[in-house]
Amino acid sequence: MKTVFFDVDTQLDFLYPAGALTVAGAGAIVKALSSLTSFAGANRIQIISTADAHTEDDPEFKTWKPHCVAGTTGQQKVTGTLLSERVVLTTAIGSLDEIRSRVADASQIIVEKQMLDCFTNPNLRPLLDLLNADRYVVYGVVTEYCVRCAAFGLLETGAQVELVADAIKSLNAAEERATVERFQARGGRLTTTAAATA
């Protein structure tokens, strides 16, 4: 079974108290994020990492306060969530051959986005087709927004999708519970960092 880890928006602006759009209590999952990344690296499990990469006047800032502006400190991923052999897929549309050549030797593929849903990056679906994983292990922030978009989109591939319950964080506990229940109702599974790294 081919497994791919799917790391959602584990960026400084979300995870640390000084971040521009910090998620309360998100610092508590950083150790789990690091464990998942280390395990993937040691076991040659590819990681897809989504990352907000906004312009200074991004339309999203009409809804959310400015965050993860490309090139700023806050846009960077937190320590422990990066592997050395990585590539970035921007939203610029590339051919399948270009994607294939770029990701061939990458342990980690960072998929940039300007909207909540990572599938708005037109390169993500071709990438998933190329990787052809049987199982996705999903974690990151925020559960009821970007993690939900990733997890539900991955379910549409027909692969087994697992959500790492102790490596996600929400803005609203009730909305998180409802999101997880819908995820499970659609065939998604829950796991833990310990189980995912066993």
Side-chain angles (χ1 to χ4, degrees), residues 47-193:
I47 301 177
I48 295 175
S49 296
T50 67
D52 276 9
H54 296 297
T55 59
E56 290 185 0
D57 58 350
D58 199 295
E60 186 173 287
F61 297 162
K62 293 176 182 175
T63 305
W64 301 96
K65 61 191 284 193
H67 61 279
C68 296
V69 173
T72 63
T73 299
Q75 195 249 343
Q76 296 174 12
K77 287 177 56 55
V78 298
T79 302
T81 63
L82 286 172
L83 297 177
S84 56
E85 299 297 323
R86 59 185 182 268
V87 296
V88 176
L89 288 183
T90 67
T91 53
I93 298 174
S95 69
L96 187 58
D97 285 341
E98 288 174 316
I99 295 171
R100 183 182 288 111
S101 65
R102 293 209 59 204
V103 306
D105 299 317
S107 301
Q108 183 172 29
I109 304 157
I110 298 174
V111 177
E112 291 187 342
K113 62 191 180 75
Q114 286 78 48
M115 300 175 74
L116 291 175
D117 189 349
C118 55
F119 286 92
T120 56
N121 183 319
N123 296 305
L124 180 54
R125 287 194 190 277
L127 172 64
L128 297 179
D129 290 343
L130 185 64
L131 297 180
N132 195 29
D134 303 296
R135 172 180 175 243
Y136 292 99
V137 176
V138 182
Y139 50 91
V141 291
V142 170
T143 310
E144 64 270 35
Y145 292 104
C146 299
V147 172
R148 172 183 54 80
C149 291
F152 282 56
L154 291 170
L155 283 171
E156 292 176 9
T157 69
Q160 178 178 313
V161 183
E162 300 175 17
L163 194 57
V164 186
D166 59 340
I168 55 175
K169 197 68 182 170
S170 69
L171 292 173
N172 181 292
E175 289 186 19
E176 180 176 66
R177 284 193 298 274
T179 297
V180 170
E181 287 171 3
R182 288 197 303 272
F183 171 72
Q184 291 177 292
R186 293 193 187 185
R189 303 179 185 183
L190 294 186
T191 188
T192 62
T193 300

